[in-house]
Amino acid sequence: MPPDTLLAEVVATTEAVVATRARSAKVAALADLLARLRGDELPVVVGFLIAAPRQGRIGVGWRTVASVEAPPAAAPSLTVLDLDRALDELAALRGPGSQRARAALLADLLGRATPGEQDLIRRLLVGELRHGALEGLATDAVARAFGVPLATVRRAAMLAGDLARVAVVARDGGEAGLAAIGLTLLRPVKPMLAQSAGDVAEAMALATGGEGRPASVEWKLDGARIQVHREGDDVRIYTRNLNDVTERLPGVVALVRSLPARALLLDGEAIGVDEGELPRTFQDTMSAFGREDGSAGAGIESRFFDLLHLDGEDLIDRPLTDRLAALERIAGPWRIPGVVTADVGAAERVLEESLATGHEGVMVKDAGSSYEAGRRGGAWRKVKPVHTLDLVVLAVEWGSGRRRGWLSNLHLGARDPATGGFVMVGKTFKGLTDELLAWQTERFLGLETRREGHVVHVRPEQVVEIALDGVQASTRYPGGVALRFARVRRHRHDKGPDEADTIEAVRALLPRR
């Protein structure tokens, strides 16, 4: 039997990934590593590569990790499974004295690690690995390592919501095993995502491939994305990040239990409303999610726009029109308003109604499209009157004058799928209230990696929604574009950096000639 895989092999692979900009080379390096792993090592390493260890949130914060110093080992001896067992021990520590015990265990673990291994362990614990092995790259690597079609791996990963599990099935069961993975109620799936469009006419043309087919045009609510699973009386509610928020939304649970079905999976929005039935802002809705005074979920209602499973039948491969018809039968009063039309004028009237009611805009969807879980496909387009982009904070500058003592000016980056990194496209300090300045100062000091004068560089983890008037060509930033009149709209705590808008999405806003 071959020896256990050393953690040093993972480190060497991630260093090779960092050293190349070519996506094909990154995938090849990762695939070579995955193909060499033994037994239980595969799901463990996949979790390491996407900064999602199987233990989940371990309870070791950045400050604890930064405070533990241990001389590195001279030679590698730690195996992949050694680290996995250590993470089990760290995750199991609870109660009085656990913080001290975690520090001691972490010091022992780091003392057995080489410098490169120490760096990987520290970044893994705080959820930030800068080797570019985002889930998309790792998904491609799984397909290559085990000789299965990439489309099949992607679909299985979308439905399973667990790439580590999918990697094991790909290795042991091949294409047939992956094809057998379907929706499983009470286990979250990755939501289908939308791309932006400049106006309704453009959205309809893009969503339907320019063929003039009918599109579903629906109000775009300024809420929190949720998916709701029901199996009998058991109901589970998940966010777009697949976090379980069932206990925070008892009203939604009661509503879904009242629907005329025994098993279903709904996709929709949780949105706060005030006493006049007007929608509250996204920030207010998210604030209600986080309350710990027993009022979590108060004033939050749910509205739905898709139905993915009904009483034993998966609907994700059915046309959107079929899914909407089923949704109308099951939850008509709670369906997000919209029409199915090929008429641009009718679609624009839906946008006017949405805005007049206090919502963001509209979603335009190819009426014949299937549900591509986890994909930002072209069949769904979002239209909002003001351009917005979800960008990642790369650095922050200390403020001056009235803002002295606060981190203020944000350096903003767009995601670059080709490299797995981020490309800076602008800065802004506009739109920040005193409350937000205080919050983000604490937040970004916790993400700090280094300083250059008045600039604090941070780990690229915080997503910010930026409103802007457009973009312009510029040689000032590496991406060749710069934001015009950018201002902070909100910090997106529900999105990870791998969900930020791409540099191509930013360039798409350049004025057309």
Side-chain angles (χ1 to χ4, degrees):
M1 178 180 295
D4 290 347
T5 302
L6 290 173
L7 186 61
E9 294 186 49
V10 179
V11 172
T13 299
T14 59
E15 289 176 347
V17 169
V18 169
T20 180
R21 292 179 58 87
R23 182 184 179 90
S24 58
K26 292 177 185 287
V27 171
L30 293 170
D32 181 65
L33 171 66
L34 298 182
R36 299 196 309 267
L37 298 172
R38 301 175 50 229
D40 293 341
E41 294 175 342
L42 178 60
V44 170
V45 171
V46 171
F48 291 171
L49 294 175
I50 61 175
R54 65 178 184 82
Q55 293 82 2
R57 299 182 70 88
I58 295 170
V60 180
W62 174 256
R63 295 186 186 279
T64 299
V65 172
S67 67
V68 175
E69 296 291 341
S77 63
L78 277 176
T79 68
V80 164
L81 296 181
D82 286 338
L83 176 54
D84 184 58
R85 285 188 287 269
L87 296 182
D88 277 340
E89 294 181 49
L90 285 168
L93 291 171
R94 295 286 187 275
S98 60
Q99 190 68 19
R100 183 179 301 171
R102 285 193 192 99
L105 181 56
L106 185 55
D108 177 71
L109 176 64
L110 292 174
R112 299 162 57 197
T114 63
E117 292 167 345
Q118 283 191 348
D119 183 66
L120 184 146
I121 292 168
R122 291 180 188 277
R123 296 189 182 282
L124 179 64
L125 287 169
V126 297
E128 192 262 324
L129 289 174
R130 292 192 297 180
H131 48 59
L134 299 176
E135 193 156 349
L137 286 174
T139 302
D140 290 7
V142 168
R144 178 163 178 164
F146 305 114
V148 290
L150 177 57
T152 307
V153 176
R154 284 178 175 166
R155 178 181 172 83
M158 293 165 194
L159 297 178
D162 183 350
L163 183 60
R165 171 174 170 253
V166 166
V168 173
V169 174
R171 180 191 64 191
D172 299 342
E175 184 175 2
L178 292 172
I181 295 177
L183 283 176
T184 301
L185 291 178
L186 310 182
R187 187 174 69 199
V189 300
K190 294 183 179 179
M192 184 169 177
L193 305 174
Q195 297 186 41
S196 297
D199 55 39
V200 170
E202 180 186 46
M204 294 184 74
L206 291 171
T208 62
E211 297 181 7
R213 298 191 303 271
S216 177
V217 186
E218 310 157 4
W219 292 6
K220 187 179 189 308
L221 308 190
D222 190 19
R225 183 82 173 264
I226 56 171
Q227 59 178 269
V228 187
H229 298 237
R230 176 183 173 189
E231 190 165 40
D233 287 334
D234 200 352
V235 174
R236 289 288 181 272
I237 305 172
Y238 302 96
T239 66
R240 64 179 291 142
N241 292 337
L242 313 188
N243 296 321
D244 190 330
V245 293
T246 308
E247 300 302 319
R248 303 182 192 180
L249 298 173
V252 179
V253 171
L255 166 64
V256 172
R257 282 182 178 151
S258 74
L259 298 178
R262 291 291 299 168
L264 49 75
L265 198 171
L266 293 155
D267 197 355
E269 297 275 342
I271 185 165
V273 294
D274 63 20
E275 294 179 357
E277 297 300 308
L278 291 173
R280 287 191 248 162
T281 66
F282 176 85
Q283 297 284 49
D284 288 339
T285 300
M286 295 306 294
S287 174
F289 267 83
R291 289 180 190 144
E292 298 180 356
D293 60 1
S295 65
I300 293 182
E301 298 184 357
S302 55
R303 296 291 184 269
F304 305 108
F305 53 77
D306 219 324
L307 180 62
L308 311 185
H309 178 96
L310 178 61
D311 289 337
E313 182 183 2
D314 288 346
L315 305 179
I316 58 173
D317 293 323
R318 299 273 292 274
L320 175 58
T321 48
D322 289 359
R323 304 198 307 274
L324 292 178
L327 177 62
E328 183 66 33
R329 292 196 309 272
I330 297 300
W334 298 277
R335 178 182 163 189
I336 290 176
V339 300
V340 175
T341 182
D343 179 23
V344 173
E348 288 176 337
R349 287 192 289 274
V350 177
L351 173 61
E352 293 169 2
E353 293 166 0
S354 174
L355 296 175
T357 315
H359 296 292
E360 282 192 311
V362 290
M363 297 291 299
V364 178
K365 306 172 182 177
D366 183 350
S369 62
S370 60
Y371 190 98
E372 297 181 75
R375 299 296 303 279
R376 193 179 293 277
W380 285 18
R381 299 283 171 167
K382 54 187 175 183
V383 180
K384 295 189 280 188
V386 176
H387 294 302
T388 62
L389 292 168
D390 291 325
L391 302 174
V392 175
V393 178
L394 306 179
V396 200
E397 297 175 15
W398 287 106
S400 58
R402 193 182 66 81
R403 294 190 175 190
R404 185 176 299 278
W406 282 333
L407 287 174
S408 176
N409 201 18
L410 305 177
H411 294 206
L412 302 166
R415 182 165 54 88
D416 185 353
T419 66
F422 300 93
V423 180
M424 189 171 174
V425 292
K427 303 179 184 180
T428 188
F429 55 82
K430 297 179 180 178
L432 293 167
T433 63
D434 288 356
E435 181 181 4
L436 282 177
L437 284 166
W439 177 86
Q440 75 175 27
T441 298
E442 180 179 359
R443 166 67 169 163
F444 292 126
L445 287 176
L447 297 177
E448 180 180 353
T449 57
R450 61 188 174 88
R451 295 193 187 191
E452 289 181 343
H454 67 293
V455 179
V456 177
H457 294 265
V458 299
R459 302 197 307 277
E461 295 181 13
Q462 182 63 52
V463 178
V464 180
E465 182 175 342
I466 299 295
L468 63 156
D469 290 0
V471 303
Q472 60 191 27
S474 172
T475 58
R476 182 176 182 182
Y477 300 116
V481 292
L483 309 179
R484 296 182 67 250
F485 303 109
R487 58 268 188 200
V488 174
R489 189 171 184 195
R490 57 191 175 187
H491 294 82
R492 294 301 302 258
H493 309 300
D494 61 326
K495 282 193 173 185
D498 57 331
E499 295 181 278
D501 283 306
T502 66
I503 184 62
E504 290 306 320
V506 179
R507 290 170 181 156
L509 297 178
L510 284 167
R512 297 179 181 176
R513 300 188 183 278

